[in-house]
Amino acid sequence: MDIQNDEKGARILPLSYGLSLLKQLLPVPTHIFKSDCHYYEKFDNNEYDDWNVFKTDFDFRCRIVQKIKESRLTIISDEKPVVYGGVACADELILVIGPISITDIDQSFCKLYALKHNAVNVAPFNCTVQKLASILLLIHSSITGEYIYLSDFINETALSEDIIENTNRQFARIFSDQSLSTRTHNPGQFEESIKNAITTGNVEGLKQALNSIYSSMRGTLSRNSLRSAKNLAIVDITLATRAAIEAGLSVEEMYTISDGFIMEVEDCKYESDAAALAQACALRCTQKVAKYLSERKSRSTSLPVDRACQYIDHHINEKFDLTTMCNKLKISSSYLSKLFRQEKNMSIGDYIRMRKIEIAKMLLRTTDRSLGEIAMLLSFNSQSHFGRVFLKETGMTPAAYKNSNAIRDSFL
């Protein structure tokens, strides 16, 4: 770009000259692209840099360039705390400044960010939004002769002081218990933080997790952006409802909620709507778990044990099969047996025998059924088997129990 005059007669300096001066003041990373999203040859060495997200993620480069072409002057903050500044220059060239971090970030975050864009590692240049905005406005004004107030520009780009401060607070919260240099993370931390919030019924913890700086660092599950957003929402809904089941909520209820939200996601026309539905599902699951845990404090047994007891009562006249019951309740037999012993101080088999004898005692007291009929009704192998179990549980035979209650009733 040679020195030339615009329509107003203002002198426009070569972009290369302006960038060379900029590098002396603040060594921010700069990229010059043509309108077709390819690097401008004069500013590119044609080498593949595995740390440069614009070379490792061409789709991402195209999205950034397209946003700058549409806005002409902007700060792109879709991946806060990493942002990009852009100016549409003469000759249909696009200047991109970034990646820029607007708050302190650690090496683990850099690796995660690189992973998102298929790069090996990324080290964003750290500077304030005000400095980045000032650079962009200087370049823009030298090209167009248009002057924009710094505060107006920052507000227009949705990077107000409140948002910046909130980003800083999020990082401070995450790294408060360990130093930035030693704390490690993995790509599953975002999902784990949401799962932990749900299983503990921590609504505030869930909100913090959903607004985490890692929330934008999601995978791509389809070449179509809307389909990818829907797939991510379905994954999130599944994780949320399964976390609620793990906390003890009804499998049937959670599956119904999951199906309902997924059907709503499938009808979405916008990516943001799909994401909002996933967050709404996570919130509902967390609230339900919180209510369940609160109610559980007043109960002596857990929900799985309560449901097992209900199942046993509903099938007390049938031959009991532990595997069938556990399959119905969607719980492992070993885990349920462990809970039973912890909470009931007896095995499931002992509980079943106890309940059958309690019902048999009621039938002996209140009906004229024979011992054989009662034994058959309660699925004992035989009348003699019923008698042995009854004697062991009560210390007396069924006939003696029936007679003793008949004598007692005659005196009442």
Side-chain angles (χ1 to χ4, degrees), residues 3-293:
I3 297 178
Q4 54 184 299
N5 295 331
D6 64 6
E7 294 179 356
K8 298 179 181 179
R11 290 171 61 80
I12 301 175
L13 295 176
L15 184 59
S16 57
Y17 173 75
L19 292 179
S20 65
L21 292 179
L22 172 61
K23 293 289 186 181
Q24 298 300 315
L25 295 173
L26 198 64
V28 291
T30 57
H31 313 265
I32 307 297
F33 298 107
K34 296 184 290 187
S35 60
D36 61 2
C37 297
H38 290 286
Y39 268 95
Y40 183 45
E41 295 83 355
K42 184 176 180 179
F43 295 91
D44 183 39
N45 57 14
N46 291 318
E47 294 181 359
Y48 181 81
D49 302 319
D50 56 9
W51 49 264
N52 183 352
V53 295
F54 288 120
K55 290 197 173 182
T56 61
D57 191 344
F58 183 73
D59 290 339
F60 175 68
R61 181 204 302 182
C62 291
R63 291 197 299 273
I64 295 293
V65 170
Q66 184 59 36
K67 287 183 178 181
I68 297 172
K69 286 171 65 176
E70 293 172 356
S71 303
R72 308 299 295 176
L73 171 68
T74 187
I75 294 178
I76 300 169
S77 57
D78 297 344
E79 298 180 329
K80 292 192 300 290
V82 178
V83 301
Y84 295 85
V87 180
C89 305
D91 300 331
E92 296 188 341
L93 297 182
I94 304 296
L95 166 66
V96 180
I97 298 177
I100 301 292
S101 61
I102 59 174
T103 189
D104 291 331
I105 56 178
D106 73 334
Q107 187 63 28
S108 296
F109 180 89
C110 293
K111 290 180 179 179
L112 284 174
Y113 189 80
L115 181 65
K116 178 180 180 180
H117 294 294
N118 306 313
V120 172
N121 201 359
V122 179
F125 184 86
N126 181 260
C127 78
T128 65
V129 173
Q130 289 79 3
K131 287 183 179 180
L132 174 60
S134 298
I135 293 170
L136 295 172
L137 291 176
L138 282 172
I139 295 172
H140 177 73
S141 62
S142 67
I143 294 172
T144 65
E146 180 185 4
Y147 299 97
I148 301 173
Y149 285 106
L150 179 63
S151 58
D152 293 340
F153 175 58
I154 291 178
N155 289 334
E156 287 177 0
T157 55
L159 279 170
S160 66
E161 287 293 337
D162 290 341
I163 295 176
I164 297 167
E165 180 60 27
N166 183 56
T167 301
N168 289 330
R169 283 198 299 270
Q170 290 178 17
F171 257 97
R173 216 169 29 235
I174 291 173
F175 301 123
S176 60
D177 59 338
Q178 297 184 37
S179 69
L180 295 179
S181 60
T182 60
R183 185 175 177 89
T184 58
H185 302 278
N186 58 70
Q189 177 174 346
F190 175 65
E191 292 179 356
E192 283 299 316
S193 61
I194 290 177
K195 180 181 177 181
N196 290 338
I198 294 173
T199 54
T200 57
N202 186 352
V203 174
E204 287 303 315
L206 175 73
K207 292 178 180 178
Q208 291 179 9
L210 293 176
N211 291 319
S212 163
I213 54 175
Y214 293 97
S215 61
S216 63
M217 302 179 67
R218 310 301 307 282
T220 301
L221 303 186
S222 173
R223 289 185 173 86
N224 178 280
S225 59
L226 178 57
R227 183 68 261 168
S228 180
K230 288 182 178 181
N231 290 343
L232 281 171
I234 291 170
V235 169
D236 291 344
I237 289 168
T238 302
L239 288 171
T241 50
R242 298 311 180 268
I245 291 172
E246 183 179 319
L249 267 64
S250 164
V251 174
E252 294 79 8
E253 180 185 12
M254 288 299 102
Y255 279 178
T256 300
I257 289 176
S258 175
D259 292 346
F261 272 103
I262 289 173
M263 293 300 292
E264 288 291 326
V265 166
E266 287 297 337
D267 292 335
C268 288
K269 296 182 179 179
Y270 303 100
E271 299 171 31
S272 58
D273 291 345
L277 282 169
Q279 292 189 4
C281 178
L283 179 60
R284 180 178 296 184
C285 290
T286 308
Q287 291 171 336
K288 283 184 170 293
V289 170
K291 182 180 179 181
Y292 159 69
L293 293 177

Side-chain angles (χ1 to χ4, degrees), residues 185-406:
H185 302 278
N186 58 70
Q189 177 174 346
F190 175 65
E191 292 179 356
E192 283 299 316
S193 61
I194 290 177
K195 180 181 177 181
N196 290 338
I198 294 173
T199 54
T200 57
N202 186 352
V203 174
E204 287 303 315
L206 175 73
K207 292 178 180 178
Q208 291 179 9
L210 293 176
N211 291 319
S212 163
I213 54 175
Y214 293 97
S215 61
S216 63
M217 302 179 67
R218 310 301 307 282
T220 301
L221 303 186
S222 173
R223 289 185 173 86
N224 178 280
S225 59
L226 178 57
R227 183 68 261 168
S228 180
K230 288 182 178 181
N231 290 343
L232 281 171
I234 291 170
V235 169
D236 291 344
I237 289 168
T238 302
L239 288 171
T241 50
R242 298 311 180 268
I245 291 172
E246 183 179 319
L249 267 64
S250 164
V251 174
E252 294 79 8
E253 180 185 12
M254 288 299 102
Y255 279 178
T256 300
I257 289 176
S258 175
D259 292 346
F261 272 103
I262 289 173
M263 293 300 292
E264 288 291 326
V265 166
E266 287 297 337
D267 292 335
C268 288
K269 296 182 179 179
Y270 303 100
E271 299 171 31
S272 58
D273 291 345
L277 282 169
Q279 292 189 4
C281 178
L283 179 60
R284 180 178 296 184
C285 290
T286 308
Q287 291 171 336
K288 283 184 170 293
V289 170
K291 182 180 179 181
Y292 159 69
L293 293 177
S294 176
E295 293 174 346
R296 181 180 171 180
K297 290 181 180 179
S298 61
R299 296 199 307 261
S300 59
T301 57
S302 64
L303 190 59
V305 171
D306 285 346
R307 289 193 178 126
C309 293
Q310 291 173 8
Y311 179 93
I312 290 169
D313 283 346
H314 292 161
H315 299 82
I316 199 70
N317 61 335
E318 302 173 8
K319 285 289 184 181
F320 178 77
D321 183 77
L322 178 61
T323 301
T324 300
M325 181 180 74
C326 291
N327 288 339
K328 290 282 187 180
L329 300 179
K330 302 293 189 302
I331 190 171
S332 72
S333 58
S334 59
Y335 179 61
L336 181 60
S337 297
K338 180 180 178 181
L339 282 180
F340 239 90
R341 288 193 178 277
Q342 289 176 346
E343 299 176 13
K344 293 286 189 181
N345 295 317
M346 66 179 71
S347 68
I348 294 175
D350 290 339
Y351 178 80
I352 293 170
R353 284 190 292 274
M354 181 191 74
R355 289 294 295 138
K356 286 191 175 186
I357 296 305
E358 286 178 350
I359 294 173
K361 288 162 69 175
M362 182 269 295
L363 293 173
L364 289 169
R365 289 195 310 267
T366 60
T367 72
D368 293 327
R369 292 179 184 271
S370 67
L371 300 184
E373 288 176 327
I374 294 175
M376 184 179 297
L377 180 66
L378 295 176
S379 298
F380 284 98
N381 294 332
S382 63
Q383 181 177 330
S384 61
H385 179 227
F386 166 54
R388 289 195 301 273
V389 174
F390 194 95
L391 176 62
K392 182 179 180 181
E393 291 291 325
T394 65
M396 58 195 311
T397 64
Y401 180 86
K402 185 178 181 68
N403 291 334
S404 66
N405 279 276

